[in-house]
């Protein structure tokens, strides 16, 4: 058995401790150790964005971050996006715009869109397309996703 | 005939029922499944594209700490000479089994050879490296024309060409030859004033769903096998498992998890039987996940093809003859979509003389799987390019030319069937009148192209049951896995019947023990056929509720009328109850009401699309940039227009990727050199404009609300439309897909 | 009487005829009567008392199952024998 490291971090506002092997990615830790399966594995090499989370305010592919690197950091995942009694405006905009079909890429797009709007509350369409280019969607052709992010920006 | 009336629910845009789960990360996809004691499986794959397997020694891997079981093809039942009947088609069981775990030969790089179950996925992967396989490497055959050569290395020593029941003497890589003939092809070409003949080549492309294949299996000591997986059809997984494992169907339960895209690629099983074998051997639940390279190298691409198209027309613009030779790569085992391509290629047009020859050819690539209108996109790239060229030659507007020759109700297709009411002409008219088509187009290196497409759509079996809740809502149980919002489009059809809001329906997609047989979510059939079943089940509920109202009012059932969600008495007695109020009184009128229906509707109704694209060719880099895109399509009746638009937009963008970027790039040894999302480049949002859609509604006479399937046909026109626009921009006919920068530069003579 | 469209790849058995009208109340009877007139047809279409895998039977444009020999026919039914579509269903 590979040796495990104790890691203390903050996830979606909660202090979280876990044990992980040095080779385990943050994605693996979230999904397999903490049962936070909202972040998805589409490629495991940073090309599809389905595992996007926000780490200390910065958008990352969680498959490219090691679990042990997150000690003392702040992690935001799709599970922390909605308030207990209402969805986040980006989530509402995705539903109202029918911006998902199969939904596997949706958590990644939501986190990517949140990171964009946190830094640029009024993006133009080209800015949205540029920012979201790291997230692949095979179902929608992106049209309704781009509209949803623009709508969410207007609503926030 | 479809009801002609104003709808209350159909045509509106409610929030999809599974929406909140899917935007909060709570929806559970196959890989998200977890259960106590779970082991993790990993598949060892062939490093060679074509090799005889001499021996497999698993002893080093078995001794590795954490390894619980190893399986190879020896763990599968003997499949020799058996035919597996999968309901929708019969196949040789040996082919089916060998694609799960190779027995005698590895037929493509990535072919599954053995699998390990271990306490975690890393250990399973490490143990795979300790399995010693001795191969005799054979020369691979990687291209369809090469594979058809008499001297080509044979993939299967026993495969002989079948031609409608007749089998050739000598073995060959050509699995089958099909032919459709209508009229007199020679006479047709003799009548023509203009004849165009061209050859086309299309690359191997992948469906590219974002979620890799997955399966978790558990064998109980009583022999009950449960499989959780992401699939387009839980029942087809059950059928394939019962054949591959030679195990009783009643002992297998398949639980469909949420599915992260399929596009045809999640119909065939891959890791499901492997997980089952490992679960049986260990007595523990075993989860097997693919990684992205596994998906590219081990699962269904859609085939590369070589296509020759020859068409002739009179100077007045009447098509007189059309001939094609379609050679499709099936991959390692027979079964390319050449049959569907042959059905679709000339279907949009009324042509008196047609000759279609199709060839299904095995090559050393993964066994091909359906991909959105399988075969039709390859075929249309050829035919719609030649149509464009004929129109240009005859100096007739390309859309007008299509209208002049367009198929209508009563026209007989070359493969036999006669069209019922269809909306091809309407889809072309909608494009012709669209502001996109009438806008100016003339900048240097900018081009505009159009193309049309056809997909026949399928019906097949679906089952639905509906129970009525005391608060005026209903629970709707269905067997169609929801890939793109079909919980909503099915629920809405039941809601329309019962006069209740879409939000008053709770749809559930359930396992194979919990609903009647339902065929795959594919063939653009789900909103059509499962929607039809929901309609019929709701009619059943309605009939039962009318009986309850009659009981309450002490009148005959004939005296109760139901309209707009209200039951009323029509024999003079003043009585009225809403669906909501009556549902609260079921207890006092006889107990619960459950309606159900199982259907197999024959009238799927064909789908037609016409697309317009504007693009710019960068002369220096060869890059093609899409500037504007408009897609018109006959949807029959759009149940939820947002998701119809979404299907069209998604199909268009997959077609754009196929046209411009996507292809498997092989080296001489038959290894795919771009098996990642970095190097196999699907379109990103930065590559694209908004995709404008126009939904044309010519109701399908085969569905109570006029629904036609919409999912597949939008992928058919883009490659041809883009090729035609490139010709408009730079005067060069592109005949090979993808039209990537390197091919563009070569065509322009720059490299 | 039912009309049978003879597939182009089988017209070597029917002296090139594309359409044949033969009596029969079921697909089985039609094939038996075809065989009587054009020997060899049945062996191309059936094996072990069923329609061969790889062949699809359409009656009036509607696909039947491999048990299609039992299908009853209207007096003016039109029958097509076509290659079965494999890989023909997608998203």
């Amino acid at each position: 058995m590979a040796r495990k490291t104790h890691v203390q971090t903050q996830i979606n506002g909660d202090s979280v401790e876990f044990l992980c092997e040095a080779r385990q990615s943050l994605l693996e830790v979230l999904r397999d150790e903490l049962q936070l399966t909202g972040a998805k594995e589409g490629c495991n090499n940073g090309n599809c964005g389905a595992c996007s989370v926000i780490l200390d305010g910065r958008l990352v592919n969680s498959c490219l971050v090691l679990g042990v690197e997150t000690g003392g950091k702040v992690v935001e995942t799709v599970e922390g996006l909605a308030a207990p009694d209402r969805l986040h405006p980006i989530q509402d905009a995705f539903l109202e715009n029918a911006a998902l079909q199969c939904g596997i890429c949706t958590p990644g797009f939501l986190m990517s869109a949140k990171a964009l709007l946190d830094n640029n509350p009024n993006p133009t369409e080209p800015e949205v397309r540029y920012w979201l280019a790291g997230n692949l969607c095979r179902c929608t052709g992106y049209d309704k996703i781009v509209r949803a992010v623009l709508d969410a920006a207007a609503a926030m | 005939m479809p009801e002609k009336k104003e709808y209350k629910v159909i045509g509106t845009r409610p929030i999809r029922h599974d929406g909140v789960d899917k935007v909060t990360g709570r929806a559970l996809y196959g890989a998200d499944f977890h259960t106590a004691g779970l082991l993790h499986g990993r598949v060892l794959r062939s490093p060679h594209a074509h090799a005889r397997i001499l021996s497999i020694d698993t002893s080093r891997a078995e001794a590795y700490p954490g390894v619980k079981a190893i399986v190879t093809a020896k763990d599968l039942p003997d499949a020799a000479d058996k035919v597996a009947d999968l309901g929708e088609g019969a196949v040789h069981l040996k082919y089916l089994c060998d694609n799960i775990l190779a027995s005698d030969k590895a037929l493509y790089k990535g072919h599954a050879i053995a699998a390990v179950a271990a306490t975690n996925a890393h250990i399973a992967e490490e143990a795979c490296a300790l399995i010693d396989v001795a191969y005799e490497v054979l020369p691979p055959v990687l291209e369809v024309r090469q594979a058809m050569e008499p001297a080509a290395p044979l993939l299967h020593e026993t495969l002989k060409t079948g031609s409608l029941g007749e089998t050739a003497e000598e073995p060959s890589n050509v699995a089958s030859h099909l032919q459709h003939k209508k009229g007199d092809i020679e006479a047709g070409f003799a009548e023509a004033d203009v004849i165009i003949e061209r050859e086309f080549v299309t690359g191997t492309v992948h469906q590219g769903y974002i979620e890799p294949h997955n399966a978790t299996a558990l064998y109980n000591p009583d022999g009950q096998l449960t499989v959780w997986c992401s699939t387009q059809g839980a029942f087809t997984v059950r059928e394939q498992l019962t054949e591959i494992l030679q195990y009783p169907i009643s002992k297998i339960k398949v639980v469909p998890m949420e599915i992260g895209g399929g596009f045809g690629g999640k119909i065939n099983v891959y890791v499901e039987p492997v997980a089952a074998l490992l679960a049986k051997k260990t007595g523990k639940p075993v989860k097997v996940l693919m990684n992205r390279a596994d998906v590219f190298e081990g699962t269904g691409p859609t085939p590369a093809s070589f296509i020759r198209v020859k068409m002739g027309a009179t100077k007045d613009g009447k098509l007189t003859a059309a001939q094609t030779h379609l050679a499709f790569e099936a991959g390692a085992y027979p079964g390319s979509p050449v049959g569907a391509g042959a059905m679709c290629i000339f279907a949009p047009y009324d042509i008196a003389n047609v000759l279609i020859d199709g060839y299904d050819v095995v090559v050393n690539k993964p066994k091909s799987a359906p991909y959105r209108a399988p075969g039709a996109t390859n075929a249309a790239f050829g035919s719609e390019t030649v149509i464009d060229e004929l129109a240009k030659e005859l100096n007739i507007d390309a859309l007008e030319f299509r209208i002049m020759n367009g198929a209508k109700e009563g026209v007989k297709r070359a493969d036999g069937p006669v069209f019922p009411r269809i909306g091809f002409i309407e889809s072309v008219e909608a494009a012709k009148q669209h502001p996109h088509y009438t806008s100016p187009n003339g900048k240097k290196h900018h081009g505009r192209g159009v193309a049309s497409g056809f997909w026949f759509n399928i019906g097949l079996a679906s089952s639905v049951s509906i129970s009525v809740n005391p608060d005026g809502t209903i629970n709707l149980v269905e067997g169609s896995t929801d890939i793109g919002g079909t919980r909503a489009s099915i629920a809405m059809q039941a809601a329309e019947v019962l006069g209740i809001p879409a939000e008053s329906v709770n749809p559930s997609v359930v396992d194979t023990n919990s609903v009647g047989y339902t065929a795959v979510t594919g063939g653009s059939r789900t909103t059509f056929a499962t929607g039809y079943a929901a309609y019929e089940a709701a009619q059943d509920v309605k009939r039962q509720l009318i009986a309850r109202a009659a009981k309450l009012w002490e009148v005959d059932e004939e005296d109760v009328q139901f309209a707009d969600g209200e039951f009323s008495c029509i024999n003079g007695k003043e009585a009225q109850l809403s669906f909501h109020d009556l549902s609260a009184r079921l207890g006092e009128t006889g107990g619960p009401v459950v309606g159900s229906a199982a259907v197999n509707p024959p009238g799927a109704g064909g789908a037609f699309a016409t697309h317009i694209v504007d693009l710019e060719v960068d002369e220096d880099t060869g890059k093609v940039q899409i500037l504007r895109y408009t897609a018109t399509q006959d949807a029959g009746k759009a149940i939820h227009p947002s998701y119809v638009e979404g299907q069209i937009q998604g199909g268009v963008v997959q077609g754009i990727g196929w046209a411009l970027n996507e292809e498997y790039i092989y080296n001489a040894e038959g290894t795919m050199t771009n098996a990642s999302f970095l190097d196999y480049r699907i379109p990103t949002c930065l590559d694209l404009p908004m995709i404008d859609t126009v939904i044309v509604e010519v109701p399908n006479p085969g569905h109570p609300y006029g629904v036609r399937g919409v999912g597949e046909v939008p992928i058919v026109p883009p490659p041809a439309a883009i090729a035609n626009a490139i010709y408009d921009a730079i005067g060069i006919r592109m005949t090979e897909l993808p039209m990537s920068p390197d091919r563009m530069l070569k065509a322009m003579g720059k490299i | 009487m039912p009309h049978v469209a003879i597939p182009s790849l089988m017209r070597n058995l029917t002296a090139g005829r594309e359409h044949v009208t033969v009596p029969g109340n079921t697909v089985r009877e039609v094939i038996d009567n075809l065989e009587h007139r054009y020997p060899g047809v049945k062996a191309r279409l059936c094996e072990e008392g069923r329609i061969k895998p790889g062949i699809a039977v359409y009656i009036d444009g509607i696909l039947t199952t491999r048990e299609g020999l039992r299908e009853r026919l209207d007096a003016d039914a039109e029958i097509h024998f076509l290659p079965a579509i494999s890989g023909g269903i997608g998203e």
Side-chain angles (χ1 to χ4, degrees):
Chain A
M1 267 299 163
R3 258 188 58 165
K4 292 194 172 184
T5 304
H6 174 255
V7 180
Q8 179 151 22
T9 182
Q10 198 200 89
I11 300 178
N12 299 329
D14 295 327
S15 176
V16 173
E17 291 177 58
F18 56 86
L19 291 174
C20 81
E21 296 177 24
R23 64 184 171 184
Q24 286 183 289
S25 67
L26 172 58
L27 176 62
E28 202 181 326
V29 168
L30 290 172
R31 293 180 54 81
D32 295 349
E33 306 298 330
L34 303 174
Q35 269 70 58
L36 290 169
T37 56
K40 304 299 181 192
E41 180 184 319
C43 69
N44 212 27
N45 50 18
N47 289 303
C48 78
C51 65
S52 300
V53 302
I54 297 171
L55 182 66
D56 275 355
R58 208 174 129 225
L59 183 69
V60 296
N61 287 314
S62 62
C63 70
L64 297 184
V65 175
L66 291 173
V68 292
E69 287 181 273
T70 62
K73 295 193 172 161
V74 176
V75 182
E76 296 169 66
T77 75
V78 69
E79 286 90 347
L81 202 51
D85 57 343
R86 66 189 149 74
L87 295 176
H88 188 282
I90 302 174
Q91 292 170 313
D92 277 328
F94 267 63
L95 291 180
E96 277 157 18
N97 281 278
L100 58 145
Q101 285 178 31
C102 80
I104 196 86
C105 69
T106 307
F109 269 99
L110 292 169
M111 297 315 289
S112 193
K114 179 174 189 297
L116 168 65
L117 300 184
D118 283 351
N119 296 303
N120 178 1
N122 290 300
T124 61
E125 185 191 325
E127 284 172 334
V128 171
R129 288 187 180 274
Y130 183 79
W131 184 269
L132 297 179
N135 291 79
L136 298 179
C137 169
R138 192 59 159 173
C139 294
T140 65
Y142 303 102
D143 183 301
K144 293 182 189 302
I145 292 176
V146 172
R147 288 178 202 277
V149 176
L150 291 168
D151 275 10
M156 281 165 72
Chain B
M1 280 301 283
E3 297 173 19
K4 288 251 195 274
K5 60 166 196 169
E6 289 297 305
Y7 296 118
K8 288 222 158 91
V9 180
I10 286 171
T12 63
R13 302 174 186 244
I15 301 290
R16 60 191 284 172
H17 299 79
D18 53 340
V20 172
D21 279 346
K22 285 181 177 163
V23 298
T24 53
R26 289 192 192 116
L28 292 176
Y29 294 75
D32 303 335
F33 180 78
H34 186 80
T35 185
L38 188 64
L39 298 176
H40 297 266
R42 178 86 194 131
V43 174
L44 173 70
R45 295 175 183 279
S46 169
H48 307 295
H50 193 189
R52 213 174 298 283
I53 299 166
L54 303 176
S55 66
I56 303 174
D57 180 355
T58 58
S59 54
R60 287 199 300 144
E62 276 164 41
Y64 195 64
V67 170
K68 299 293 180 187
I70 296 175
V71 294
T72 65
K74 287 204 173 72
D75 294 281
L76 284 168
D78 180 26
D81 298 333
K82 289 199 182 88
V83 170
D85 201 342
L86 297 178
E88 289 147 29
V91 296
H92 286 291
L93 184 57
K94 182 173 186 327
Y95 293 156
L96 203 58
C97 290
D98 276 357
N99 199 41
I100 301 305
L101 286 167
S103 63
D104 45 3
K105 276 176 104 180
L107 292 172
Y108 51 95
K109 161 80 163 66
H111 198 159
I113 304 291
V116 178
T119 48
N120 73 44
H122 297 286
I123 293 172
E125 184 162 9
E126 286 160 356
C128 278
L130 299 174
I131 298 174
D132 300 300
V133 186
Y135 295 100
E136 176 197 347
V137 179
L138 302 168
V141 187
L142 298 168
E143 198 274 331
V144 65
R145 281 165 293 179
Q146 188 198 347
M148 291 173 84
E149 293 290 331
L154 292 174
L155 274 76
H156 304 279
E157 284 80 0
T158 55
L159 181 65
K160 293 171 182 169
T161 308
S163 307
L164 208 76
E166 198 166 50
T167 308
E169 297 289 320
E170 295 299 315
S172 161
N173 290 322
V174 181
S176 65
H177 167 220
L178 64 89
Q179 188 178 70
H180 300 304
K181 203 173 189 174
K182 178 183 167 190
D184 180 338
I185 194 71
E186 296 308 327
F189 282 120
E191 265 179 69
D193 297 307
V194 183
I195 294 173
I196 304 282
E197 181 172 9
R198 279 196 182 271
E199 292 182 346
F200 301 88
V201 172
T202 73
T204 304
V205 298
H206 198 274
Q207 294 80 353
Y209 31 81
I210 305 301
E211 176 203 44
H213 294 258
N214 56 75
T216 306
L218 174 65
Y219 255 99
N220 270 349
D222 62 359
Q224 183 65 44
L225 169 64
T226 306
V227 176
W228 296 262
C229 60
S230 299
T231 173
Q232 288 177 242
F235 286 90
T236 188
V237 170
R238 189 179 70 163
E239 278 162 354
Q240 291 173 79
L241 287 173
T242 202
E243 292 287 355
I244 291 165
L245 304 173
Q246 293 287 299
Y247 202 67
I249 204 158
S250 59
K251 294 245 172 218
I252 304 172
K253 178 169 88 173
V254 177
V255 186
M257 305 296 290
E258 293 304 328
I259 169 171
F263 314 107
K266 286 183 185 154
I267 297 172
N268 295 340
V269 296
Y270 299 95
V271 290
E272 293 88 342
V274 174
L277 291 175
L278 290 169
K280 187 169 192 182
K281 226 167 179 174
T282 58
K284 295 256 173 65
V286 180
K287 184 199 269 191
V288 184
L289 303 180
M290 285 195 188
N291 64 27
R292 181 54 51 184
D294 296 339
V295 173
F296 277 119
E297 295 185 329
T299 72
T302 207
S305 54
F306 169 76
I307 296 168
R308 193 181 304 121
V309 176
K310 182 179 175 186
M311 298 178 88
T314 64
K315 57 182 182 302
D316 304 332
K318 184 169 175 41
L319 288 169
T320 58
Q323 184 175 3
T324 187
H325 162 102
L326 303 163
F328 278 38
E329 293 179 0
Y333 301 97
S336 77
V338 69
M343 281 169 77
C344 293
I345 183 162
F346 300 125
Y349 305 105
D350 180 8
I351 312 172
N353 307 294
V354 180
L355 179 60
I356 297 167
D357 283 285
Y359 298 87
D360 183 39
V361 184
V362 294
V363 296
N364 290 111
K365 294 182 181 179
K367 175 182 158 43
S368 78
Y371 178 26
R372 204 168 199 152
T377 306
N378 312 47
F381 176 54
S383 55
E384 289 294 302
T385 299
V386 170
I387 288 279
D388 192 70
E389 209 169 339
L390 279 172
K392 290 260 184 320
E393 196 82 10
L394 295 164
N395 209 14
I396 301 172
D397 171 83
L399 292 180
E400 188 54 38
F401 187 54
R402 286 172 169 83
I403 293 168
M404 289 163 69
N405 291 286
K408 305 179 194 69
E409 182 174 0
V411 167
K412 194 178 176 67
R413 283 180 4 212
D415 54 307
V418 175
F419 277 122
R421 182 78 174 91
I422 50 172
F424 176 55
I425 302 284
E426 288 82 352
S427 90
V428 187
E429 290 282 5
K432 207 177 156 204
Q433 287 154 18
H434 196 276
H436 181 172
Y437 198 62
T438 53
S439 68
N441 157 49
K443 275 197 201 165
K444 194 170 187 297
H445 301 142
H446 282 218
R448 175 171 298 162
V450 297
S452 297
F454 167 70
W455 179 253
F456 46 86
N457 293 334
I458 56 172
L460 302 180
S462 282
S463 308
V464 163
S465 68
I466 293 174
S467 53
V468 181
N469 296 317
D471 62 353
T473 63
I474 60 172
N475 298 333
L476 186 155
V477 175
E478 59 187 289
S480 286
T481 53
D482 185 348
I483 256 184
T486 52
R487 281 182 179 89
S489 65
I490 292 162
M492 288 169 74
Q493 296 179 58
E496 186 71 45
V497 172
L498 298 174
I500 57 177
E503 293 77 12
S504 293
V505 184
N506 307 315
S508 302
V509 178
V510 297
D511 64 63
T512 53
N513 283 7
S514 308
V515 67
Y517 182 91
T518 299
V520 294
T521 295
S524 301
R525 64 172 292 279
T526 308
T527 298
F528 167 76
T530 309
Y532 204 131
Y535 171 89
E536 290 292 351
Q539 294 288 353
D540 188 12
V541 166
K542 188 171 96 180
R543 281 189 295 272
Q544 295 183 50
L545 288 178
I546 284 173
R548 298 303 176 89
K551 195 169 184 181
L552 274 177
W553 297 332
E554 298 176 17
V555 298
D556 291 337
E557 288 174 25
E558 294 72 40
D559 295 330
V560 178
Q561 178 184 292
F562 179 73
D564 299 329
E566 296 279 337
F567 297 87
S568 53
C569 194
I570 52 168
N571 75 342
K573 197 171 175 178
E574 278 292 312
Q576 199 159 346
L577 270 175
S578 66
F579 179 89
H580 178 275
D581 292 343
L582 181 56
S583 69
R585 302 184 65 180
L586 299 184
E588 60 186 285
T589 55
V593 164
V594 178
S596 66
V599 302
N600 198 346
F608 290 90
T610 298
H611 293 186
I612 313 164
V613 60
D614 288 4
L615 52 75
E616 180 177 12
V617 178
D618 185 320
E619 272 214 302
D620 296 324
T621 63
K623 183 177 191 295
V624 175
Q625 183 69 42
I626 305 293
L627 302 173
R628 186 173 181 183
Y629 206 105
T630 303
T632 72
Q633 184 175 325
D634 174 20
K637 177 71 200 168
I639 299 293
H640 192 309
S642 296
Y643 286 97
V644 173
E645 293 159 7
Q647 286 294 323
I648 296 173
Q649 291 161 339
V652 164
V653 168
Q654 286 185 317
I656 291 172
W658 195 339
L660 295 180
N661 286 316
E662 296 179 34
E663 68 176 316
Y664 278 43
I665 299 169
Y666 281 95
N667 68 15
E669 286 75 45
T671 294
M672 181 189 182
T673 57
N674 60 332
S676 78
F677 270 146
L678 182 64
D679 299 314
Y680 181 97
R681 198 171 171 288
I682 73 173
T684 74
C685 62
L686 193 56
D687 301 318
L688 299 161
M690 293 294 185
I691 309 296
D692 291 334
T693 59
V694 178
I695 300 172
V696 177
E697 295 186 326
V698 178
N700 172 17
H703 184 280
Y705 294 129
V707 170
R708 294 176 196 276
V710 296
E712 290 169 290
V713 76
I715 199 174
V716 179
I722 290 169
N724 294 338
I726 289 172
Y727 176 77
D728 189 45
I730 59 169
I732 295 171
R733 284 282 168 200
M734 297 298 291
T735 57
E736 202 171 319
L737 296 183
M739 298 173 280
S740 46
D742 56 327
R743 286 202 181 84
M744 289 295 295
L745 288 174
K746 267 183 213 150
M748 291 188 283
K750 305 237 167 176
I751 54 171
Chain C
M1 263 192 275
H3 309 276
V4 183
I6 305 294
S8 51
L9 293 174
M10 271 177 54
R11 287 178 204 159
N12 57 334
L13 298 176
T14 61
R17 290 193 62 179
E18 292 180 35
H19 292 276
V20 180
T21 302
V22 282
N25 293 317
T26 63
V27 174
R28 186 193 313 276
E29 287 175 22
V30 164
I31 291 177
D32 285 343
N33 289 327
L34 266 180
E35 173 70 19
H36 188 67
R37 205 181 299 174
Y38 304 111
V41 167
K42 192 171 182 177
R44 291 283 292 277
L45 296 174
C46 308
E47 68 182 24
E48 295 165 12
R50 297 214 287 176
I51 301 287
K52 275 190 182 175
I55 292 177
V57 181
Y58 286 78
I59 301 169
D60 296 326
I62 293 167
L63 177 65
T64 71
T65 65
R66 282 191 68 209
E67 299 293 342
L69 292 176
R70 293 190 180 86
E71 291 286 338
R72 294 195 69 79
L73 300 171
D74 290 340
D76 57 350
E78 186 171 290
I79 305 167
H80 286 268
F81 299 104
L82 294 176
I85 299 298
S86 56
I89 40 179
E91 143 77 7

